[in-house]
Amino acid sequence: MDSDQELCKQSPCFQLTLEPSPDATALARAYYRRGSAVSYEIKRPETVREEAKARVLLAGGDPECWRLVLSESELQFGQYQGQTFKWLLSHDVGHACGVLMSHQKEREAGDTSQSPLAVNKDALASYAQLFPELTQVIQWRRMCEGTLSVRGKDQTLVGFGVFADLTFQDLYESTSSDCRIYLKWLKSQNVKGGTLIHTLQVYVLGRDNEVPAAGPSTALPAQQIAPQPPSSAASAGPSSEVSDDLLLAATVEVNTQLSVARPPVPAVHPADDGPGLPHTPPLSTGAQLLPEGWRQTLPEEQQDWVGQALFTRGTDKQPVLTSELRLWWVPPGAWPLYTETPSAHVFFQCRFFLWAPYQMWACRLTCPNCGCKLTGAGLYKTVRRVLDLDSWYFMGTECLECGSCKRKYAAWAQDILEQLDMAHKQLFPAVLTYKWSCDKMVIGMLKWRTLSSLHDTLEGQHTEEWMLRSVKYLSVLDELQVPGVAQQQVSLPPMHPVPSVPSLISLYVRKGLNQLEETKARATSIFGDILKMDSTKKMTKLAGDAAWFTNVGNEHRQVLMSVLTDSEGDGLLPMATGLVQRYRDAGKAPPRVLYVTRDCCATVGQSKVAAMFGEWQQLVVRLDVWHLMQRFTRGFTADSHQLYGLFMTRLSIAIFEWDSSDLHRLEEAKQSEEGRDAHVQLTSKELSSHCRRRTRGALETERLIQEVLDSFWVATDAMGIPLIDRAKMEEVWSTQRRHLQCIQDPPGVELYAKTGEVTMGGVMLPVFRCARGTTSLESFHRHMCRFLPCTFANALNFQVYLLEGLVRWNENCARAALKDNPKTLLCGNSTQLQNDIIQLSQEVFGLTLIENYTQLSKYTGELIGLEYLYSQRGAVLPQDVGRDPDASNGTDSLEEELEDEEQLDEGCMEDMHGIKLLTNLSPLRPAQPVPQPAAVPTQPQPPLTVPLPEEASGQAATHKGPLAQTLYIIVTQAPAASSSTKTASAVTYAPVVTYAPVVAYAPVVNYAPVVPSAPASTSAPAPAPASASASASASAPASAPAPAVPRSTAWQRKVREEQLQQAREKGFYIKSRKRCQHFLCKRCGQPKTKQYGHSRYRAEHFCSRAEGRSVEDWLAEKKDKDVKQTQTKTAQAATPQRAQQPVLPPAPQSPRQTESQQGQK
């Protein structure tokens, strides 16, 4: 029996339904219809409890579980008498809320009755507390009706609009004119109940309706302060003396009353203060020493100690910065013992970091603008709050000025930090953006955690630290509390909220962009002797379609290059040229072997892959064996067949043979470990780790595969279903027969590397790592999704995640390859630091302290990741978001867009089908856009049905995007032909730059028809401009203009524009609406309608543009398949049922038996 309660909710919003269910309505009507004709006996609490336990036991639950007992307790009052608590919360939540609100007010008024009805209501209240949603509804109702104070919402964040980061209390008590105007507007609005703005409105109105507590009277009656004569009991003797605590309490009370009785001293306001403004309290001694800008940005609890620690009085009595400078300043903190009530400020003080490289180390710094020397110009005007692991700390810096151009710079600007040497640069602890500052340790945790888990961890640690400081302060107040004396009101500094997930993303991206050049240099410093190339579309989704990731790796599992393309195998020539150039510039010997998954050979001439790497004349191109074996599965009737694994095992034995010496050594070690009389059974893991394999040769492999096929032609499972579809398998075998030479091991190339040794049964066994095939890249493909901390990213964030993950993968693989070296115990990921340590250790000690995994060289200029895809489409990936963190440069609007993006998923990197880019890359922004008239709205193009070219390797090719020549010619020529037949004037298509709201950095290019001024001949269409032809591969021309907008829609838009205009004139804030697109195909990006080539049969969706065939053919195929399945089931039902055993081929022989038989022959 489950103790969890399912409250009555409505879908799809999953909100509480306060209206009664039909069953509850029927019971209520029956109750009021019979009136008082039927009396219900009120049971005692013990009886109710015992009956509830009996019901729990009958349902199979634990009668000792108080939650289950409460859920089965009966109601003893009202229209639902006799029903259980669980039934009430499942059928009428609104009635339960009303009953509990009334009961709470009775208890708060002082009603302590323990009657059976009151006890029953108390039990219902205890059960309702198990559901936070119900408790919030009750509190909300009471706040709305004014019976509960709204001060419980003081620390609630606004959560929307320009004041999203403020709490309700901060917004209400703020003296800013913007806040006052917003609150005045908010109180006059008619908002929808249950929304965030409604919650804020109720809070504001509740604060306005609060009656200020009556202060003590200014005139104290004489009888209250006149000394009383001692009573007889008081003068009876020493036994009746008043205690010291009582005397102290009376003295404090009298002093308090006398101080209240004095006439109040009027507050003197400054001359510039207007009437009604609160009087500013006098500054503390330390706060008076702070610069004006620091006093405005430092919290009140930090000002006193920072001013006393960092500043002193000069000879002219003016505050000056202390001469004893250091980086970190620690607050004095709380005293171990207090005799009077302390201020809460000392318990909530944080560290302070002072960054002054010019004053501390006399670093020579130059102006980024003109190159002249920078000199000190005092302290920078503001102080930053920096996010740490469990709290915050504050950071100040110096200001630098150029004597030539008179420009001023903060010392924490990126252009200044990059001028420092590595030792001093690493002392700067934070990453700064326009809105946030974050410690590097927090940013480093993003490499190993997801965004949501890191945010939850930080929020939990900050909350725990704030509560710990609060407990320390409150415990001191508790120790100083005197019995009989009212405790004075104290206030705790509020906990500053942790930045949101999008803000953490912007901080991580900023750090990656600061190290972008070094990261690219590390990525292009990898080489190898045996290369592998493979493509996958499991990683990224672009504009509704999956983009292809093509990766090139080496024998150490490192990745030399990773690029995105529109389709598999197309457009890789620039990547291959860059790799050849990298080897040539570094003086490395060309690789000897390249394993691929397609295009390994050609019927005539050179293969496509060999032609791309034409400069490497000695390169041997080989096909991955696993991909060849997977091609045989196309001839199977089902992948879940019982004989699937057995066939693949026999196929592997037909291709490979184990090394006899390695196999004999492993059998000997296994026999020695398990005993001479034991039966030795070698596992696949032991074989792959300690034994080497080699291919058998093309002729021998062909013969053995033919034998495997002959033995499986008629093999069936227990149901009589054959494994092989003979027609399909014969077609596959005839095509793949010529690739048997492509899978053979290249002569003279050692494919196995010894990585270590283990001892088994007293025998030393080597551990091998195989470099054959593209298996290491398959592992890299599975780990690529873990590089990204979220499932949605824009183009720039995605590029930074990819580069960081690529470098970490290469470092880990290099470390694993050198794990036997004792110098490789360090696990850092900064290659620049490693190179500096190696260089300095060689200069100082003459030896190398650590092993460098990657020999860092200069960035070769190769395009990586999204840069490659952008270049293919004639666009540039913007990578500059500003060098100065104190200047917005558009970064503030970017962070707000990320915070408002509701589709951001902070979870789940287990989805191997991709990271969806928020930026629409089809089409992209051109490198130099040509100004054109406004774009005309367009409709999506209908699907095209064209024959696809055949692929030489025999594997079906997937042609997508503008690089598929057949589709490209049809798409680019169709608009010209239609325009020449329909109109007399030629229409050309030029790119028009428009900015989409979801694209953070790259504007979208739409193609609008531009009619030339002079009419062109109807016989020959006018040629398209150069800009249009250059970007024609990125997007197809637009189709006919959109239909007219309905009158009601146009009227609503007009009213909306007028409201926005009036709001702007009055200074009000109105949140803009979001425009969402629904029912779009994820494969082609077009609407899921028949007009655009989409259909649905049973639970399967079909896209003609992605599949490359018509809807009619697909539907006919599905219906024929259903007819055949129906006929098969009918035939099986007609035949008598009998137990059938699978017809198995001969059992596979072990490698030792095969070798012995060959020796006998």
Side-chain angles (χ1 to χ4, degrees):
M1 183 177 180
D2 194 356
S3 63
D4 293 337
Q5 166 74 41
E6 186 66 23
L7 294 179
C8 184
K9 298 182 179 181
Q10 62 181 6
S11 61
C13 300
F14 295 98
Q15 298 178 351
L16 285 179
T17 301
L18 302 183
E19 299 180 356
S21 66
D23 296 340
T25 304
L27 283 178
R29 290 177 178 175
Y31 173 81
Y32 289 110
R33 189 181 301 114
R34 65 174 178 262
S36 58
V38 179
S39 61
Y40 188 88
E41 180 183 2
I42 298 177
K43 303 177 182 179
R44 299 182 59 82
E46 296 81 8
T47 306
V48 173
R49 190 179 304 109
E50 293 299 325
E51 290 178 355
K53 288 184 178 181
R55 279 189 290 270
V56 171
L57 188 62
L58 183 62
D62 183 9
E64 300 300 324
C65 179
W66 61 273
R67 294 185 180 88
L68 293 176
V69 174
L70 283 178
S71 66
E72 295 297 329
S73 298
E74 285 185 359
L75 288 168
Q76 301 300 310
F77 56 90
Q79 60 191 16
Y80 300 125
Q81 289 178 343
Q83 302 298 330
T84 63
F85 293 171
K86 183 176 181 180
W87 184 95
L88 176 63
L89 297 189
S90 300
H91 291 77
D92 197 347
V93 179
H95 178 76
C97 292
V99 171
L100 293 175
M101 286 174 56
S102 176
H103 183 65
Q104 285 183 3
K105 288 184 287 186
E106 292 174 357
R107 290 302 192 189
E108 291 172 0
D111 184 8
T112 59
S113 172
Q114 294 297 318
S115 63
L117 289 181
V119 173
N120 191 251
K121 292 181 180 180
D122 288 339
L124 178 61
S126 301
Y127 183 65
Q129 290 179 356
L130 299 176
F131 309 101
E133 299 170 333
L134 185 59
T135 306
Q136 292 175 3
V137 171
I138 296 174
Q139 293 178 355
W140 175 252
R141 280 191 170 185
R142 294 196 60 188
M143 283 191 294
C144 290
E145 70 180 15
T147 60
L148 186 67
S149 175
V150 297
R151 299 305 296 267
K153 297 286 185 179
D154 279 350
Q155 302 305 320
T156 303
L157 288 178
V158 175
F160 63 91
V162 294
F163 307 109
D165 295 332
L166 296 180
T167 62
F168 284 4
Q169 182 180 10
D170 294 339
L171 178 61
Y172 183 84
E173 297 176 356
S174 175
T175 59
S176 171
S177 59
D178 294 337
C179 296
R180 296 289 97 191
I181 293 174
Y182 179 78
L183 292 178
K184 180 179 179 181
W185 168 84
L186 177 63
K187 288 185 287 187
S188 64
Q189 297 300 310
N190 184 15
V191 298
K192 183 179 179 180
T195 59
L196 292 178
I197 191 172
H198 185 225
T199 306
L200 178 59
Q201 187 185 54
V202 171
Y203 175 84
V204 173
L205 296 177
R207 289 292 301 271
D208 290 343
N209 296 330
E210 284 182 355
V211 180
S217 175
T218 57
L220 196 65
Q223 63 270 20
Q224 293 186 11
I225 61 175
Q228 301 293 334
S231 63
S232 58
S235 58
S239 60
S240 61
E241 292 183 355
V242 183
S243 64
D244 294 339
D245 292 339
L246 185 58
L247 288 175
L248 179 60
T251 304
V252 172
E253 183 177 2
V254 170
N255 292 337
T256 304
Q257 294 174 351
L258 289 175
S259 62
V260 172
R262 300 189 185 99
V265 179
V268 180
H269 295 276
D272 56 344
D273 284 352
L277 294 179
H279 172 57
T280 304
L283 296 176
S284 61
T285 305
Q288 295 177 356
L289 301 176
L290 294 175
E292 182 64 25
W294 285 30
R295 281 201 299 267
Q296 295 178 359
T297 53
L298 264 179
E300 183 181 355
E301 65 269 12
Q302 310 293 333
Q303 295 181 7
D304 185 54
W305 85 267
V306 172
Q308 294 183 8
L310 274 73
F311 296 92
T312 58
R313 295 285 183 179
T315 56
D316 55 352
K317 303 301 182 180
Q318 295 296 325
V320 294
L321 188 65
T322 180
S323 58
E324 300 177 359
L325 297 179
R326 60 180 183 270
L327 293 177
W328 288 99
W329 301 80
V330 182
W335 294 353
L337 181 64
Y338 285 94
T339 57
E340 59 182 8
T341 303
S343 171
H345 293 172
V346 295
F347 292 86
F348 291 89
Q349 293 171 350
C350 302
R351 297 180 299 161
F352 191 89
F353 180 82
L354 180 62
W355 179 249
Y358 181 80
Q359 298 187 44
M360 289 184 181
W361 309 308
C363 298
R364 178 177 176 82
L365 304 173
T366 59
C367 176
N369 182 42
C370 61
C372 297
K373 182 181 178 181
L374 294 177
T375 57
L379 294 174
Y380 192 66
K381 58 184 178 181
T382 60
V383 175
R384 280 182 169 266
R385 183 192 293 264
V386 185
L387 176 68
D388 206 353
L389 291 176
D390 58 352
S391 61
W392 299 80
Y393 63 85
F394 295 89
M395 178 189 297
T397 188
E398 61 182 347
C399 186
L400 305 174
E401 184 179 10
C402 177
S404 177
C405 62
K406 302 302 180 181
R407 293 193 176 186
K408 293 185 177 181
Y409 302 91
W412 55 39
Q414 188 62 29
D415 291 329
I416 305 300
L417 294 176
E418 290 181 351
Q419 299 182 34
L420 303 176
D421 59 279
M422 181 59 64
H424 290 99
K425 187 191 305 183
Q426 292 297 324
L427 295 176
F428 189 73
V431 177
L432 312 181
T433 64
Y434 183 69
K435 291 184 60 177
W436 299 98
S437 304
C438 183
D439 193 84
K440 291 181 179 179
M441 295 181 62
V442 179
I443 299 298
M445 295 175 65
L446 277 173
K447 300 177 180 179
W448 322 111
R449 291 172 177 253
T450 62
L451 285 175
S452 59
S453 63
L454 176 59
H455 183 269
D456 295 343
T457 301
L458 292 176
E459 199 169 34
Q461 292 178 350
H462 278 238
T463 304
E464 186 175 352
E465 178 67 19
W466 183 86
M467 291 191 298
L468 179 61
R469 293 174 182 243
S470 302
V471 166
K472 290 182 179 178
Y473 177 56
L474 296 177
S475 62
V476 172
L477 297 182
D478 184 63
E479 292 176 357
L480 296 177
Q481 188 174 4
V482 178
V485 178
Q487 181 67 34
Q488 63 179 355
Q489 296 294 330
V490 297
S491 60
L492 300 178
M495 188 187 78
H496 199 75
V498 177
S500 60
V501 171
S503 300
L504 295 177
I505 292 177
S506 64
L507 290 164
Y508 183 83
V509 172
R510 166 72 73 167
K511 182 177 183 295
L513 291 176
N514 293 342
Q515 303 174 352
L516 189 61
E517 198 68 19
E518 176 189 349
T519 305
K520 290 183 178 180
R522 294 165 65 184
T524 57
S525 300
I526 309 298
F527 300 90
D529 189 46
I530 301 175
L531 302 185
K532 302 99 176 285
M533 185 170 66
D534 191 11
S535 300
T536 181
K537 59 188 304 185
K538 299 178 181 179
M539 179 63 180
T540 310
K541 294 181 179 179
L542 303 174
D545 196 3
W548 284 92
F549 251 110
T550 300
N551 303 299
V552 179
N554 63 6
E555 65 272 18
H556 302 298
R557 301 173 64 241
Q558 295 175 299
V559 178
L560 281 71
M561 182 54 60
S562 180
V563 298
L564 266 82
T565 56
D566 285 309
S567 56
E568 184 182 13
D570 290 331
L572 298 179
L573 182 59
M575 182 198 71
T577 305
L579 289 175
V580 173
Q581 183 69 26
R582 184 196 303 186
Y583 274 79
R584 186 191 310 115
D585 295 342
K588 299 286 185 179
R592 294 184 292 173
V593 185
L594 174 62
Y595 281 95
V596 296
T597 59
R598 52 178 295 149
D599 299 329
C600 55
C601 60
T603 55
V604 178
Q606 201 175 20
S607 66
K608 184 177 179 180
V609 174
M612 285 195 303
F613 300 93
E615 188 174 332
W616 293 339
Q617 299 293 337
Q618 304 300 324
L619 182 67
V620 179
V621 180
R622 286 290 183 262
L623 177 65
D624 179 58
V625 178
W626 183 82
H627 282 79
L628 177 70
M629 295 173 61
Q630 287 298 314
R631 296 177 184 178
F632 280 88
T633 60
R634 300 177 192 169
F636 290 172
T637 57
D639 292 342
S640 58
H641 201 277
Q642 294 179 357
L643 302 180
Y644 180 91
L646 181 59
F647 180 89
M648 300 303 288
T649 302
R650 294 287 302 273
L651 188 62
S652 176
I653 294 175
I655 297 175
F656 293 107
E657 61 179 350
W658 294 100
D659 184 87
S660 57
S661 59
D662 296 340
L663 194 62
H664 177 73
R665 187 189 303 111
L666 178 60
E667 289 179 347
E668 181 182 356
K670 194 78 171 178
Q671 193 73 49
S672 177
E673 182 182 33
E674 298 182 359
R676 293 298 178 184
D677 299 333
H679 175 69
V680 175
Q681 185 175 2
L682 304 179
T683 63
S684 59
K685 183 177 181 180
E686 293 172 343
L687 287 171
S688 60
S689 300
H690 307 296
C691 299
R692 292 167 291 183
R693 291 195 301 179
R694 56 176 176 266
T695 54
R696 299 178 179 270
L699 297 178
E700 180 67 14
T701 302
E702 181 179 1
R703 184 184 65 81
L704 294 177
I705 292 179
Q706 187 61 51
E707 291 181 359
V708 173
L709 293 176
D710 292 340
S711 60
F712 277 86
W713 285 129
V714 294
T716 59
D717 61 358
M719 299 294 297
I721 301 176
L723 171 66
I724 297 178
D725 187 336
R726 183 152 191 156
K728 292 183 179 180
M729 184 61 76
E730 288 179 351
E731 181 181 356
V732 171
W733 177 228
S734 62
T735 305
Q736 304 303 327
R737 190 190 301 268
R738 57 187 176 87
H739 291 298
L740 297 181
Q741 184 62 40
C742 301
I743 64 174
Q744 303 303 317
D745 293 341
V749 178
E750 182 60 41
L751 298 178
Y752 284 87
K754 184 179 178 181
T755 60
E757 291 181 345
V758 296
T759 303
M760 181 186 297
V763 179
M764 189 70 65
L765 295 176
V767 180
F768 297 107
R769 184 182 65 246
C770 182
R772 182 191 294 110
T774 61
T775 307
S776 61
L777 288 181
E778 295 293 338
S779 178
F780 177 71
H781 294 164
R782 289 193 297 270
H783 282 77
M784 285 182 73
C785 287
R786 304 181 184 178
F787 295 164
L788 280 75
C790 56
T791 56
F792 288 82
N794 60 34
L796 183 59
N797 295 357
F798 182 86
Q799 180 74 0
V800 172
Y801 297 148
L802 177 63
L803 289 174
E804 291 280 350
L806 181 64
V807 170
R808 289 200 307 270
W809 172 270
N810 289 339
E811 293 294 327
N812 294 335
C813 292
R815 189 183 301 115
L818 302 173
K819 63 181 180 180
D820 293 335
N821 194 329
K823 297 180 181 179
T824 61
L825 300 179
L826 299 180
C827 300
N829 287 312
S830 178
T831 306
Q832 186 63 46
L833 278 177
Q834 295 175 6
N835 292 335
D836 291 344
I837 293 176
I838 292 174
Q839 181 181 357
L840 291 175
S841 63
Q842 290 177 351
E843 294 177 358
V844 177
F845 301 110
L847 50 89
T848 302
L849 295 180
I850 64 173
E851 184 71 23
N852 194 5
Y853 310 123
T854 303
Q855 300 297 329
L856 186 63
S857 58
K858 292 184 178 180
Y859 174 47
T860 60
E862 300 175 60
L863 301 180
I864 309 173
L866 273 176
E867 290 179 319
Y868 193 88
L869 181 62
Y870 269 64
S871 65
Q872 281 190 333
R873 299 180 176 182
V876 178
L877 176 64
Q879 299 179 0
D880 185 13
V881 293
R883 310 283 291 175
D884 187 3
D886 298 311
S888 62
N889 294 328
T891 57
D892 53 344
S893 61
L894 169 63
E895 295 178 12
E896 290 176 1
E897 286 180 5
L898 288 176
E899 290 175 359
D900 292 339
E901 183 57 48
E902 298 177 355
Q903 293 181 344
L904 186 64
D905 184 4
E906 298 112 6
C908 10
M909 290 154 328
E910 302 301 328
D911 181 12
M912 295 303 293
H913 289 86
I915 307 301
K916 184 175 182 180
L917 294 186
L918 299 181
T919 303
N920 187 353
L921 298 182
S922 179
L924 297 173
R925 173 176 61 87
Q928 296 180 352
V930 180
Q932 296 291 343
V936 178
T938 59
Q939 291 293 338
Q941 291 287 351
L944 300 176
T945 304
V946 295
L948 297 178
E950 295 183 358
E951 201 262 326
S953 63
Q955 184 180 9
T958 303
H959 296 270
K960 293 183 179 180
L963 299 179
Q965 295 299 324
T966 306
L967 296 179
Y968 174 74
I969 294 174
I970 295 177
V971 171
T972 54
Q973 290 182 356
S978 61
S979 62
S980 62
T981 57
K982 292 184 178 181
T983 179
S985 60
V987 179
T988 59
Y989 287 82
V992 178
V993 180
T994 59
Y995 289 82
V998 296
V999 180
Y1001 302 99
V1004 179
V1005 180
N1006 293 330
Y1007 286 81
V1010 180
V1011 181
S1013 57
S1017 175
T1018 58
S1019 59
S1027 59
S1029 60
S1031 59
S1033 61
S1035 173
S1039 63
V1045 179
R1047 289 186 302 172
S1048 58
T1049 304
W1051 179 80
Q1052 292 175 0
R1053 292 179 181 176
K1054 181 180 178 181
V1055 173
R1056 178 68 178 175
E1057 291 295 332
E1058 292 176 355
Q1059 293 177 355
L1060 291 176
Q1061 184 65 24
Q1062 294 176 2
R1064 296 190 193 100
E1065 294 175 356
K1066 297 180 180 180
F1068 293 159
Y1069 172 75
I1070 296 181
K1071 185 176 180 180
S1072 59
R1073 298 178 180 177
K1074 291 187 177 181
R1075 299 184 180 275
C1076 303
Q1077 294 182 353
H1078 301 282
F1079 308 111
L1080 294 181
C1081 179
K1082 296 182 179 180
R1083 307 177 69 184
C1084 67
Q1086 306 295 344
K1088 291 184 178 180
T1089 59
K1090 187 176 181 180
Q1091 178 184 0
Y1092 299 103
H1094 294 83
S1095 181
R1096 184 183 181 90
Y1097 186 78
R1098 297 185 184 275
E1100 187 174 355
H1101 177 71
F1102 174 75
C1103 176
S1104 62
R1105 179 165 292 186
E1107 298 290 342
R1109 53 176 175 166
S1110 64
V1111 175
E1112 292 74 11
D1113 295 343
W1114 180 76
L1115 289 174
E1117 179 183 349
K1118 290 298 178 182
K1119 293 178 180 178
D1120 292 343
K1121 186 176 180 181
D1122 285 351
V1123 171
K1124 293 181 180 179
Q1125 291 180 355
T1126 304
Q1127 294 176 354
T1128 303
K1129 292 180 180 179
T1130 304
Q1132 292 178 357
T1135 55
Q1137 299 292 334
R1138 62 179 182 277
Q1140 297 184 0
Q1141 298 295 331
V1143 182
L1144 300 179
Q1149 299 179 355
S1150 64
R1152 298 288 295 174
Q1153 294 175 350
T1154 305
E1155 294 176 1
S1156 61
Q1157 292 178 5
Q1158 292 179 354
Q1160 295 175 3
K1161 291 181 180 181

